[in-house]
Amino acid sequence: MADATHGTAPVLSFDSLESPGEEGFWLWRDQMSPVFDITLPKEEIGAFRGTLQTYHLGGVLLGRCASVTQTFHRTPPRSSPAAASTIT
């Protein structure tokens, strides 16, 4: 995960291709875990590809992601005020 500043908005970015093999998926899953539980069929984990950019705009976090098909699960205990504003 890399930190950068574009204009005035701090940016965090992640690219699974920066990690070898299955490690990219497990890092992706860890990054998304505050909001979602992510599952992927075991045989597809090694082929996982995903990118994520998160922009911090004062009191708002805005995220942009692209990835292969996966399943997102969200349970009520995991919900928080920040997670409640997730837009897909």
Side-chain angles (χ1 to χ4, degrees):
M1 183 156 246
D3 295 336
T5 302
H6 296 279
T8 59
V11 177
L12 296 174
S13 53
F14 172 84
D15 187 339
S16 67
L17 293 176
E18 295 175 0
S19 303
E22 294 182 6
E23 185 179 344
F25 171 73
W26 299 113
L27 290 170
W28 172 269
R29 187 172 178 235
D30 184 57
Q31 295 297 315
M32 302 297 275
S33 68
V35 181
F36 299 107
D37 288 323
I38 296 177
T39 58
L40 194 64
K42 188 173 185 170
E43 62 275 5
E44 296 179 21
I45 291 175
F48 178 81
R49 299 292 177 261
T51 60
L52 173 67
Q53 293 83 37
T54 304
Y55 302 87
H56 185 256
L57 306 171
V60 175
L61 289 176
L62 181 63
R64 177 181 177 195
C65 72
S67 70
V68 298
T69 301
Q70 58 198 290
T71 303
F72 293 83
H73 300 277
R74 192 163 161 203
T75 58
R78 191 171 295 268
S79 297
S80 68
S85 299
T86 302
I87 300 172
T88 57

